[in-house]
Amino acid sequence: MARAIKAQTFEKKLTDSMKKMGTYREEYAETIRICAELLSERESIKKMLESDDYVKRTPGVITLERLRSDIAKYLDMLCLNPKIFEKTTIKEKPKLSKLDAALSKIADG
């Protein structure tokens, strides 16, 4: 049986895709992590279902369907769905004023 893909692998792929599309923000890190974990969980369940003789509508299949729905919502939030991406206006991250930059430097030590 093939190994399921780890969440960290999905997280890197999602982050790379978002950076290429110009939609990545550090603030999305937690959402990306959750989506990556859902994708990893989906892969694990798919591998399990491939190895066993499951029939339709077993708990594993129902869980897989729910994960698919949850993943779709997270991909929409991260603008990784082509329809959502087309409708999204990408705003530039606001630049810090000189005063904010200086205060940030002082605060960071």
Side-chain angles (χ1 to χ4, degrees):
M1 180 171 89
R3 279 188 11 211
I5 300 172
K6 291 185 177 182
Q8 292 88 357
T9 304
F10 281 114
E11 190 170 344
K12 182 171 177 13
K13 287 180 180 182
L14 289 168
T15 301
D16 290 346
S17 294
M18 290 179 71
K19 285 179 179 178
K20 286 178 186 173
M21 295 170 67
T23 59
Y24 178 78
R25 300 285 185 271
E26 288 181 26
E27 296 84 359
Y28 297 157
E30 183 66 13
T31 306
I32 293 169
R33 186 190 61 74
I34 292 168
C35 186
E37 288 174 2
L38 290 172
L39 288 165
S40 179
E41 184 69 22
R42 181 192 67 180
E43 287 300 309
S44 297
I45 292 171
K46 279 173 59 177
K47 298 293 181 194
M48 180 187 70
L49 292 175
E50 288 172 1
S51 66
D52 297 330
D53 294 327
Y54 280 93
V55 294
K56 291 182 182 179
R57 307 305 296 173
T58 63
V61 174
I62 293 169
T63 301
L64 189 60
E65 289 172 358
R66 286 186 185 142
L67 280 172
R68 188 177 297 129
S69 172
D70 290 347
I71 290 166
K73 289 175 189 173
Y74 276 93
L75 292 177
D76 287 351
M77 283 191 277
L78 295 171
C79 297
L80 289 172
N81 174 333
K83 277 190 176 181
I84 299 297
F85 181 72
E86 288 174 4
K87 295 177 185 178
T88 303
T89 303
I90 300 172
K91 297 178 184 174
E92 290 294 320
K93 199 170 188 179
K95 297 189 183 218
L96 290 176
S97 69
K98 290 181 181 180
L99 175 61
D100 288 334
L103 292 173
S104 177
K105 264 188 184 177
I106 292 170
D108 291 340

